[in-house]
Amino acid sequence: MNVYVDGYNLYHGCFSNKDKPEWRQFRWLDLARFSAAILENMGANADCNRIRYFTSRAVSIKNDPDITPETITRQDIYWRALGTIANLTIHKGMFTAHAKQRYLADPAGHPSRPRFATPHRTVRVVLREEKGSDVNLAAYLLLDAFKDDYDVAVVVTNDSDLAEPIALVRRELGKKVAIVNPRASYTAVGLRNTADEYYEVRRWMLEESQFPERLSDGNGVISKPSTW
């Protein structure tokens, strides 16, 4: 059984969700223990063969309110901690930031059914986008299936862009796929009826899957960031 973790979805579903602020204390997440908790929650009698973690390096731009030098340092520390997990590989995409002109939305419109403000007006905005992680996840999910590296794939995501690769793995390669949704209570429309099984990330799965405060690798001691 292989586990494929969409790092962007996991972070924003569990650790930057305004509905679950108390979950932010669990950012020091040991993905090996987390994967074991997922399998326990599934009732699966199997070992985790491989963990693939898909992420992108944070990029800070001038006057950035969200990503600071400390944010990047914390990410580096966390990646070092993940590097101590023998069967885990990190696959890196990239973040890009562009200034673009965009139309303003009508503030009275529903978030999922937006409409343009009238009269039409535009504003110049900073648009930050993650590039590559979903494509990388899809590529390795298919590659590993072709290589017969797993019988069951567990995909931690709520990204509907992954619906077709998951469908191909099941239909063409005969593999089973379970989706673990980090956003809880809401499954992206495109992912519904795509996988064999669906689960949600639960608080206990995060709470019981923390790295120790201090651990070490070949470069020395790794300490949990003080602000985590």
Side-chain angles (χ1 to χ4, degrees):
M1 185 174 290
N2 286 0
V3 178
Y4 300 81
V5 181
D6 179 344
Y8 185 83
N9 249 259
L10 176 64
Y11 185 86
H12 287 280
C14 291
F15 306 131
S16 66
N17 190 325
K18 294 180 181 179
D19 296 331
K20 300 177 289 189
E22 71 281 4
W23 285 23
R24 289 181 63 81
Q25 65 184 301
F26 304 129
R27 286 174 287 179
W28 193 230
L29 186 66
D30 180 335
L31 291 182
R33 298 176 68 182
F34 179 60
S35 296
I38 289 174
L39 300 188
E40 178 185 344
N41 188 57
M42 292 171 58
N45 185 23
D47 293 326
C48 181
N49 171 56
R50 188 186 311 281
I51 306 167
R52 295 193 185 276
Y53 179 64
F54 300 87
T55 185
S56 295
R57 177 167 295 285
V59 174
S60 180
I61 57 180
K62 189 174 181 179
N63 301 324
D64 195 326
D66 295 321
I67 297 179
T68 65
E70 183 185 9
T71 304
I72 296 171
T73 298
R74 287 197 301 259
Q75 185 180 54
D76 286 338
I77 293 170
Y78 183 58
W79 285 2
R80 276 188 65 194
L82 291 179
T84 65
I85 300 173
N87 65 338
L88 181 144
T89 50
I90 300 176
H91 304 271
K92 300 174 185 178
M94 61 182 294
F95 271 108
T96 62
H98 306 280
K100 294 189 177 182
Q101 208 75 14
R102 289 290 185 263
Y103 283 104
L104 288 174
D106 185 340
H110 191 277
S112 63
R113 296 184 297 277
R115 60 194 185 198
F116 291 104
T118 52
H120 292 153
R121 290 178 294 151
T122 63
V123 63
R124 192 167 175 80
V125 299
V126 175
L127 187 65
R128 200 197 314 269
E129 297 176 297
E130 188 190 29
K131 299 288 188 179
S133 287
D134 54 352
V135 174
N136 291 344
L137 196 159
Y140 279 98
L141 182 69
L142 286 161
L143 176 65
D144 291 344
F146 274 118
K147 293 168 63 177
D148 203 25
D149 195 54
Y150 63 81
D151 294 317
V152 179
V154 176
V155 184
V156 182
T157 192
N158 196 35
D159 186 347
S160 59
D161 288 346
L162 295 171
E164 186 63 15
I166 290 171
L168 287 172
V169 163
R170 295 179 64 220
R171 184 176 68 244
E172 304 296 332
L173 299 169
K175 304 298 185 182
K176 292 185 177 180
V177 180
I179 289 176
V180 178
N181 183 0
R183 294 186 180 266
S185 74
Y186 171 76
T187 301
V189 173
L191 285 179
R192 295 174 189 171
N193 304 315
T194 299
D196 294 279
E197 300 177 53
Y198 290 83
Y199 301 91
E200 295 177 358
V201 174
R202 304 293 186 183
R203 177 188 168 115
W204 70 265
M205 298 163 67
L206 304 173
E207 190 170 7
E208 296 182 6
S209 302
Q210 297 296 292
F211 279 117
E213 296 278 334
R214 290 164 62 87
L215 61 161
S216 61
D217 62 7
N219 295 314
V221 175
I222 307 166
S223 299
K224 177 181 178 180
S226 59
T227 52
W228 280 10

